[in-house]
Structures are given as structure tokens and as C-alpha cells.
Amino acid sequence: EADLSQRRELSVQLTQGLEESARRYAQRQQELREKLKEREHALADLQVQSDQADRQLEQRRHEHPEEVERINARVKAAMEEAAQLQDQARGMREQLKKLQDKSLIDFKP
């Protein structure tokens, strides 16, 4: 009878131990599932960011040559305008010199 009592006690302890192990396993499994969901969400966010970066890069690749062309056109226009202004300034200096010579007024110090 003592042996039977010990076996029952051992059976109860083993059952309780197994139940506790099962609870810990279930809890750990739930924690891991939550962690997996968090990481999947983080991965999805990173994939969205990566896709956006890829689209921006592709857009910049297309825009860059156009942007360079626009800048070169602006530089060319500015150079042409500068040349025109230099021509105008040269013409004005010549007119001023003619007027000075004509009026015999010396504006030079």
C-alpha cells in the first residue's frame, strides 16, 4: 500500500510537471509567434522602404540626364547673355569715348 501511495504521489507530481511544462511550452510558443509577427511586420516595412528607394533611384536615373541638360542649357543661355552684355558695354564705352572726344570734355581724373 505504501508503494501504491508513492506511485500515486509520483504520478501526481509527473502529471503536474507535465502540465507545467505544457503551459510553459504554450506560453513560449505564443511569445515566439508574437516575435515572429513583429519581425514580419518590420520586414514588410523594410520591403516598402526598399521599394520606395528603388523607385526614387530609378526616377533619379531618368531625371539626372534631363537635369544635366537643363543646367547646361541655363549655362549656355547665361554665357550668351554675358557675351551680349559685354558687347553692349563695349559699344557704350565706344559711344562715351566718341561723345567725350566730340565735346572735348575730359571725364578722366
Side-chain angles (χ1 to χ4, degrees):
E1 198 173 297
D3 189 39
L4 182 60
S5 176
Q6 286 178 342
R7 286 184 183 194
R8 283 185 184 153
E9 181 66 29
L10 180 61
S11 175
V12 168
Q13 289 176 357
L14 287 174
T15 303
Q16 288 175 347
L18 287 173
E19 288 172 354
E20 179 61 30
S21 292
R23 280 191 295 273
R24 283 194 316 262
Y25 175 78
Q27 182 181 1
R28 181 68 177 148
Q29 190 177 26
Q30 182 62 32
E31 290 171 357
L32 290 173
R33 283 185 179 141
E34 290 173 7
K35 191 173 187 178
L36 177 62
K37 284 182 184 179
E38 289 173 7
R39 290 193 176 176
E40 285 174 341
H41 183 69
L43 175 61
D45 288 345
L46 288 174
Q47 287 173 331
V48 167
Q49 290 175 4
S50 175
D51 290 344
Q52 288 174 345
D54 287 343
R55 282 192 300 274
Q56 287 177 344
L57 176 62
E58 193 60 32
Q59 182 180 2
R60 292 293 291 165
R61 282 184 180 158
H62 289 312
E63 288 178 356
H64 179 71
E66 294 171 2
E67 188 175 346
V68 169
E69 283 182 35
R70 284 193 302 269
I71 290 171
N72 285 338
R74 288 175 52 198
V75 167
K76 183 178 178 183
M79 296 294 280
E80 290 171 358
E81 184 181 2
Q84 289 174 353
L85 291 173
Q86 286 176 349
D87 288 343
Q88 288 176 356
R90 189 175 310 115
M92 291 177 147
R93 281 192 300 271
E94 289 173 4
Q95 282 182 339
L96 178 61
K97 182 162 175 59
K98 287 180 183 179
L99 289 173
Q100 286 174 342
D101 289 345
K102 184 176 182 180
S103 64
L104 300 174
I105 299 174
D106 188 11
F107 287 105
K108 297 179 185 175

